[in-house]
Amino acid sequence: NALLTNIRHTIEVKEFIERQNDLRIFGLRVRELRKKSKLTQSELAEKIGLSTNFIGMVERGERNTSVDKIFKLSRAFNLSLAEFFKTL
């Protein structure tokens, strides 16, 4: 029983780390596209109707985001979703 609990805990930790890595990778992509578009975090936030704090948290991989916000981001960069996710 204790072994099973340890295994479950190990799996949960591994899944958490993978999610964090995914968020960091996504955030780096947002930062790359923002800089390529010559936008500040504040300008991007204003363009899509979100806070500067939110943009910073996404870029640092500290915040997950919803599908509607991903659509807003891709439109802000004039990219299709396929292009937005191309290098991920």
Side-chain angles (χ1 to χ4, degrees):
N1 206 358
L3 178 61
L4 200 53
T5 301
N6 282 340
I7 291 170
R8 282 190 189 122
H9 178 71
T10 301
I11 291 170
E12 289 172 6
V13 168
K14 187 175 183 180
E15 289 172 352
F16 173 79
I17 290 169
E18 287 173 3
R19 275 193 307 274
Q20 293 305 109
N21 286 338
D22 290 344
L23 292 177
R24 280 191 208 102
I25 291 167
F26 180 81
L28 289 172
R29 177 67 170 150
V30 171
R31 180 176 289 150
E32 171 194 10
L33 293 170
R34 177 180 60 77
K35 288 185 174 190
K36 198 178 277 188
S37 299
K38 296 182 176 20
L39 294 170
T40 65
Q41 287 182 347
S42 182
E43 290 167 335
L44 176 59
E46 186 175 325
K47 189 172 185 173
I48 62 176
L50 299 170
S51 73
T52 302
N53 187 46
F54 178 84
I55 298 298
M57 291 176 75
V58 167
E59 287 187 0
R60 291 187 303 274
E62 297 171 356
R63 181 80 189 262
N64 202 348
T65 189
S66 59
V67 172
D68 64 317
K69 290 179 180 92
I70 293 170
F71 271 99
K72 287 180 180 186
L73 286 165
S74 69
R75 282 193 291 266
F77 300 128
N78 295 314
L79 296 174
S80 68
L81 284 180
E83 292 169 316
F84 184 86
F85 286 106
K86 191 175 186 175
T87 62
L88 300 180

